Amino acid sequence: EAAARLVRPPEVARERADGAKLLFVINTNRDPLEKLNVRVKTGFTAVEVLTADGTYKPVKFVRNGDTLTFDIPLACYEFTALLFR
């Protein structure tokens, strides 16, 4: 089982005009990720994931201090986009 790795958004997140932060995550490892861990700052009220049809839908997560764990598996070179509101 591949261990979840920690992504640090300051290098890869962008702020949209409406104040939401958009984070793209690409698994460039040779091993698949079973879960996604993201370290965040506080101040957001919801997280949404970009779907295949181009819309965002709410996504559940578990918070442990400043780290959020998402049940989002990523195969090698697969990506996802998260929107922090």
Side-chain angles (χ1 to χ4, degrees):
E1 178 178 331
R5 289 162 185 84
L6 186 64
V7 176
R8 291 180 177 81
E11 294 98 22
V12 294
R14 295 295 177 255
E15 188 167 336
R16 296 183 354 163
D18 64 1
K21 298 214 187 275
L22 184 60
L23 171 67
F24 289 95
V25 179
I26 301 170
N27 181 11
T28 58
N29 295 299
R30 292 182 179 181
D31 298 319
L33 294 176
E34 293 183 10
K35 294 182 184 275
L36 179 63
N37 289 327
V38 179
R39 183 173 291 158
V40 298
K41 295 181 180 177
T42 59
F44 62 89
T45 57
V47 182
E48 300 172 357
V49 64
L50 182 63
T51 64
D53 66 2
T55 61
Y56 288 93
K57 72 172 189 174
V59 63
K60 293 182 181 182
F61 57 87
V62 175
R63 181 187 294 266
N64 184 7
D66 63 352
T67 301
L68 306 181
T69 300
F70 296 90
D71 192 17
I72 299 176
L74 291 177
C76 302
Y77 300 103
E78 191 172 31
F79 70 92
T80 191
L82 299 172
L83 188 63
F84 294 80
R85 295 187 183 273

